[in-house]
Amino acid sequence: MSNELLKQEIERAMDNAPLQKALKNFTTAYPGNRARVYKGYDFEALREKVHEVKSYARDHLDEVMAEFIKNAEANGAHVFVAHSPEEAMDYALKLAKDNNVKLCVKSKSMASEEMHFNQNYEKAGITAQETDLGEFINSIAGDTPSHMVMPAIHYSKEDVADLFESYTKQPEEPVITKEVKTSRRVMRPKFLSAEMGVSGANVAVAETGTVITMTNEGNGRMVATLPKTHLYIFGIEKFVAKMSDIRYIFKVLPRNGTAQNITAYLSFYTGATKVVTDPENDTKEDKNFHMIILDTPERRKIMASEDYKDIFCCIRCAACLNVCPAFRLVGGHVYGGSIYTGGIGTLLTSFLNSRERGKDIQNICLQCGTCNTVCGGKLDIAGMILKLRTKFAQEDGLNPVHKFCLDTVADRHLFHSMLRIASVAQGMITKGQPMIRHLPMFLSGLTAGRSLPSVAPQPFRDILPTIKQDVPNPKGKIAIFTGCLLDFVYVDIATDVVKALNMAGYIVEMPLGQACCGAPATYMGDVENAKKAAEMNLNAMEAEKYDYIVSACPTCTHALRDYVDFFKDDPEMLKKAEALRSKTFDFCKLVSMLGGLPDTGDGVPMKVTYHDSCHLNRYLGVTKEQRELLKATKGVELIEMHDCDKCCGFGGSYSVKFPEMSAPILEEKINNIVASGADVVAVDCPGCLLQIRGGLDARGLNNIQVKHTAQIVVEKREKK
């Protein structure tokens, strides 16, 4: 798919008013509801245990699966291990034909979609009836799921009423309780007459040969208990070793999925049981109980990969979708494949269903890392998507325009020369103003909904030698890593970083050989240029000469610390990377480590609200230090805005590639800032500053200033 086609999908989703309303309502309510149901529970400890038990099953898969099959068969189940969706489908078709199945009722089986189960049964003259309400709605509409737990979230009650009217040929009111009754009325005779039930498993327990399913509607139990033949379909990723392992999963899954303490039904099936085949005479026979385990090469490939094996720790709770800012805008039809959706769906789609679809939708990920904080299996979803992006770039090559831009940035002398030229040539666009409010022709999208900063007349590297660093008896020496924005755009921030560290008793130097941190290349999958940047900066920064390395950009800080990943096989460069990692800290973290700043300030009241950048908060874990630094500044009143840690939509090149998605994320952030009543927004990321200041300027809200924390704490102390 071309980028243009993906953008058309995005545009249609964002123009879909019912979809937007449904997604906004659910994702707005979800965080608070989730927090309430976790009250009294240690989520971090729970998901650590989930990861532990799922990892054990993965790492001992053959042993665990053999034990499961032995115990399941001992209890009367027939187990078939399928090594391809086609093998699985052949078994399912033969099972139906051998038992003269005309109607099959289904519940909770995403794995069956990998087999194109419904379509293949229909071709064979067998009706495959979805009975989960959401899946039933989708089947009537000829649609695919838009969410892994709430597959029909994209339909309003009015839509459902229309669909039910077309299906039942009877009037239907758009009242949810009445629509539920209609679905029950339609389904009840199907449950009673179906010859086969098909289920999916949340968990399969090796110790007992038990399969377990969580449901809210009761249909899952009727699918499993009423028909004489019952077929379970699930993948090898659903195994755990012991029954005691499930307690962690079932404490997390409902709380994460739908913010419930527990689902209405938790059903355990251990082998064959009796089933009533003649209700009139209460005749009972042994149930024909079968299981298909999908043990496909694609699953084994995931399991064998150090980069992706943690996908097996996913419990399909879909919390990653519920908090994702991109999913909130477009839903799972855009951000997903035909089966699996959202961040984890991107990974599953890429490996299990469609590489090409996975390659397209991985671009939608902002890399904000919010998914990682709520994942029930403690997966690094964002990190795996980034590795996937890199994998696709290496296999298929980068977009030529993107590659040209990254090659330019990686050439330090060329890029810096271009920025110096731009600082002079920009006059015809800025007309002497500090902000660029309009760009011509094909660049116009960059200023849609926000203004851009102009390039500074002088880069910081030229200014630093003019700063008088009057530090009696200095405690040590710190190197500043400015990155691109602080060196060539926000020189005032870099200047205040130096002044703050002088106040803390340190001299600051700037190694002039430093270049871009490499994050733009990393986040676009260009390993070659990212590693080139790492080599340049490791040699330039000479970490061994300094007590600390300071950065006032969390993205740069994170990039510098991750240089160790590039040089696992190069002992000399690895030593340099480890030295840099051990000494590199973001501004607020470092100042806090150094004991803070003098407890002074001008005392003039300033209402400040704080925006947590994704990298500082979720990747570096710095949330308290900046707030303590602001509170210790006399005159500053810190007011927390709503959703202070939600992404602002910048995402580096994301706001350039997808301005149509970046803009509404920014809009929400600005609304929260305005609602806080603050005079100043404090940030610690130059990218967030660019995004938020540009958004405020474009809306004429210049009464609200946006400043880096370093600027606030220094300016208030200098005015005392």
Side-chain angles (χ1 to χ4, degrees):
M1 180 192 292
S2 70
N3 188 54
E4 188 55 40
L5 289 174
L6 181 60
K7 282 180 171 284
Q8 288 173 15
E9 284 190 34
I10 291 169
E11 184 179 347
R12 284 194 295 271
M14 294 181 67
D15 286 342
N16 184 332
L19 172 66
Q20 292 300 310
K21 182 180 178 181
L23 290 172
K24 184 175 182 180
N25 287 346
F26 175 74
T27 57
T28 299
Y30 174 80
N33 292 338
R34 180 179 179 273
R36 279 192 290 276
V37 296
Y38 270 113
K39 192 173 182 179
Y41 289 86
D42 185 341
F43 171 64
E44 291 301 325
L46 279 174
R47 71 175 186 158
E48 188 68 51
K49 293 301 291 186
V50 171
H51 188 87
E52 179 184 316
V53 300
K54 293 286 284 179
S55 296
Y56 178 88
R58 176 200 66 209
D59 296 341
H60 300 81
L61 178 62
D62 291 324
E63 171 190 331
V64 166
M65 185 159 62
E67 184 181 4
F68 175 87
I69 293 171
K70 181 188 74 173
N71 291 327
E73 290 180 340
N75 288 318
H78 303 275
V79 183
F80 177 71
V81 179
H83 299 292
S84 71
E86 292 76 21
E87 271 188 23
M89 197 65 237
D90 288 344
Y91 184 92
L93 282 168
K94 185 176 186 303
L95 178 64
K97 290 172 182 176
D98 289 349
N99 290 278
N100 197 30
V101 172
K102 300 298 180 186
L103 172 63
C104 157
V105 284
K106 293 181 65 197
S107 173
K108 300 290 179 188
S109 180
M110 285 188 287
S112 71
E113 299 302 318
E114 295 177 38
M115 302 155 51
H116 304 292
F117 186 98
N118 293 10
Q119 299 91 322
N120 283 310
Y121 260 39
E122 294 294 340
K123 288 177 184 176
I126 305 166
T127 300
Q129 177 67 58
E130 296 290 353
T131 67
D132 295 320
L133 180 56
E135 292 289 2
F136 175 46
I137 293 167
N138 283 335
S139 67
I140 295 173
D143 207 348
T144 57
S146 62
H147 190 285
M148 289 199 295
V149 175
M150 296 163 287
I153 192 174
H154 54 296
Y155 286 113
S156 67
K157 60 182 184 293
E158 290 78 16
D159 294 329
V160 173
D162 291 341
L163 287 167
F164 279 8
E165 278 192 7
S166 69
Y167 185 78
T168 64
K169 309 303 180 188
Q170 296 178 17
E172 184 71 47
E173 291 183 59
V175 178
I176 293 174
T177 54
K178 292 184 178 181
E179 291 169 344
V180 170
K181 287 180 180 178
T182 296
S183 68
R184 286 176 177 165
R185 186 178 72 248
V186 169
M187 289 301 165
R188 187 55 57 97
K190 295 182 185 294
F191 289 130
L192 294 172
S193 59
E195 297 89 3
M196 178 190 284
V198 175
S199 303
N202 291 110
V203 178
V205 183
E207 183 180 43
T208 57
T210 303
V211 280
I212 309 171
T213 303
M214 301 185 88
T215 62
N216 273 318
E217 301 165 29
N219 62 313
R221 287 195 175 175
M222 286 188 276
V223 162
T225 57
L226 294 177
K228 183 179 179 182
T229 298
H230 186 202
L231 172 63
Y232 251 94
I233 304 173
F234 59 94
I236 54 176
E237 65 273 14
K238 297 302 179 77
F239 285 118
V240 295
K242 299 176 182 177
M243 188 62 76
S244 59
D245 292 342
I246 71 170
R247 55 188 157 156
Y248 310 114
I249 295 170
F250 291 133
K251 282 180 181 177
V252 171
L253 202 158
R255 290 179 170 84
N256 255 15
T258 50
Q260 296 173 260
N261 286 301
I262 193 166
T263 53
Y265 301 91
L266 180 57
S267 304
F268 294 61
Y269 302 97
T270 306
T273 57
K274 296 288 184 180
V275 61
V276 175
T277 54
D278 182 356
E280 294 295 327
N281 299 303
D282 196 30
T283 304
K284 296 177 182 177
E285 298 179 39
D286 287 333
K287 182 177 280 290
N288 193 13
F289 188 40
H290 291 251
M291 300 181 193
I292 296 175
I293 301 172
L294 287 169
D295 184 7
T296 58
E298 293 81 9
R299 284 174 162 80
R300 290 282 177 167
K301 187 176 180 181
I302 294 171
M303 190 177 70
S305 168
E306 284 299 317
D307 287 340
Y308 306 109
K309 67 181 183 180
D310 276 354
I311 291 174
F312 271 65
C313 297
C314 172
I315 57 174
R316 305 290 195 273
C317 66
C320 55
L321 284 66
N322 301 342
V323 299
C324 174
F327 184 88
R328 176 173 180 164
L329 288 175
V330 298
H333 284 144
V334 178
Y335 193 16
S338 60
I339 306 169
Y340 304 109
T341 54
I344 189 63
T346 299
L347 297 164
L348 293 168
T349 297
S350 299
F351 287 106
L352 300 181
N353 307 118
S354 170
R355 178 188 184 278
E356 289 309 306
R357 182 63 183 174
K359 179 184 175 183
D360 291 333
I361 62 177
Q362 59 81 22
N363 287 296
I364 295 175
C365 174
L366 269 157
Q367 286 293 304
C368 68
T370 311
C371 52
N372 293 357
T373 66
V374 298
C375 176
K378 203 176 180 181
L379 281 68
D380 178 10
I381 297 171
M384 287 191 283
I385 291 175
L386 184 56
K387 287 173 181 175
L388 192 67
R389 184 174 297 171
T390 302
K391 177 176 178 287
F392 288 137
Q394 290 175 328
E395 291 174 356
D396 302 343
L398 281 167
N399 176 298
V401 175
H402 297 166
K403 180 62 175 170
F404 172 77
C405 293
L406 293 171
D407 286 345
T408 301
V409 173
D411 187 328
R412 182 173 67 86
H413 294 293
L414 173 61
F415 185 50
H416 288 182
S417 297
M418 289 175 67
L419 288 170
R420 287 179 183 272
I421 292 169
S423 70
V424 178
Q426 67 187 343
M428 64 184 72
I429 297 174
T430 64
K431 302 188 185 304
Q433 297 298 311
M435 303 296 286
I436 300 171
R437 297 188 172 92
H438 303 285
L439 284 171
M441 298 181 294
F442 62 91
L443 297 174
S444 60
L446 300 179
T447 50
R450 71 171 182 197
S451 304
L452 295 173
S454 57
V455 180
Q458 246 187 321
F460 179 72
R461 60 184 58 231
D462 294 351
I463 292 172
L464 181 59
T466 69
I467 299 174
K468 185 180 179 182
Q469 299 190 55
D470 187 10
V471 185
N473 304 313
K475 299 175 184 177
K477 193 162 52 175
I478 296 173
I480 184 171
F481 183 86
T482 59
C484 307
L485 283 175
L486 264 65
D487 196 1
F488 288 92
V489 178
Y490 298 126
V491 298
D492 49 346
I493 297 176
T495 299
D496 284 336
V497 168
V498 173
K499 290 179 179 179
L501 293 173
N502 288 167
M503 290 178 189
Y506 286 80
I507 296 292
V508 180
E509 294 181 358
M510 179 179 178
L512 296 179
Q514 62 181 267
C516 170
C517 66
T522 295
Y523 289 108
M524 293 182 76
D526 186 353
V527 174
E528 180 185 353
N529 277 321
K531 186 173 182 180
K532 184 178 177 181
E535 289 173 341
M536 275 194 289
N537 288 320
L538 285 173
N539 290 323
M541 296 307 293
E542 298 182 285
E544 67 279 358
K545 290 173 53 177
Y546 299 98
D547 297 288
Y548 302 100
I549 312 291
V550 68
S551 165
C553 172
T555 306
C556 290
T557 306
H558 186 241
L560 265 61
R561 287 182 159 200
D562 277 0
Y563 285 172
V564 292
D565 295 338
F566 290 119
F567 303 105
K568 298 286 177 65
D569 300 321
D570 186 336
E572 184 181 345
M573 291 302 290
L574 181 60
K575 184 178 179 181
K576 290 184 178 183
E578 288 172 341
L580 185 68
R581 181 187 182 95
S582 68
K583 294 184 178 183
T584 298
F585 298 94
D586 200 75
F587 169 75
C588 289
K589 180 69 175 180
L590 180 57
V591 170
S592 177
M593 289 167 54
L594 298 177
L597 297 178
D599 186 14
T600 58
D602 61 9
V604 177
M606 176 189 283
K607 291 183 178 180
V608 177
T609 193
Y610 187 81
H611 163 71
D612 293 86
S613 79
C614 298
H615 272 91
L616 191 61
N617 178 6
R618 285 181 275 276
Y619 290 93
L620 298 176
V622 179
T623 58
K624 297 178 181 178
E625 291 85 348
Q626 60 272 49
R627 288 171 166 82
E628 291 170 355
L629 194 54
L630 288 166
K631 289 177 182 177
T633 303
K634 291 181 179 177
V636 170
E637 177 189 356
L638 185 62
I639 305 167
E640 294 290 356
M641 75 171 91
H642 179 62
D643 287 339
C644 59
D645 60 346
K646 275 197 174 180
C647 183
C648 68
F650 177 63
S653 61
Y654 192 91
S655 60
V656 178
K657 291 193 295 181
F658 295 106
E660 59 278 279
M661 294 184 68
S662 175
I665 297 172
L666 172 60
E667 182 73 27
E668 187 174 356
K669 177 61 65 175
I670 287 175
N671 289 341
N672 289 335
I673 289 168
V674 172
S676 75
D679 307 311
V680 179
V681 185
V683 300
D684 277 285
C685 173
C688 295
L689 188 146
L690 181 155
Q691 177 85 335
I692 295 171
R693 181 183 286 176
L696 290 168
D697 182 79
R699 290 160 181 78
L701 295 171
N702 293 309
N703 57 308
I704 303 174
Q705 296 180 296
V706 188
K707 296 187 175 186
H708 194 283
T709 301
Q711 292 177 289
I712 296 172
V713 299
V714 168
E715 289 171 11
K716 296 290 280 181
R717 283 166 174 78
E718 284 189 330
K719 292 177 182 176
K720 69 181 189 298

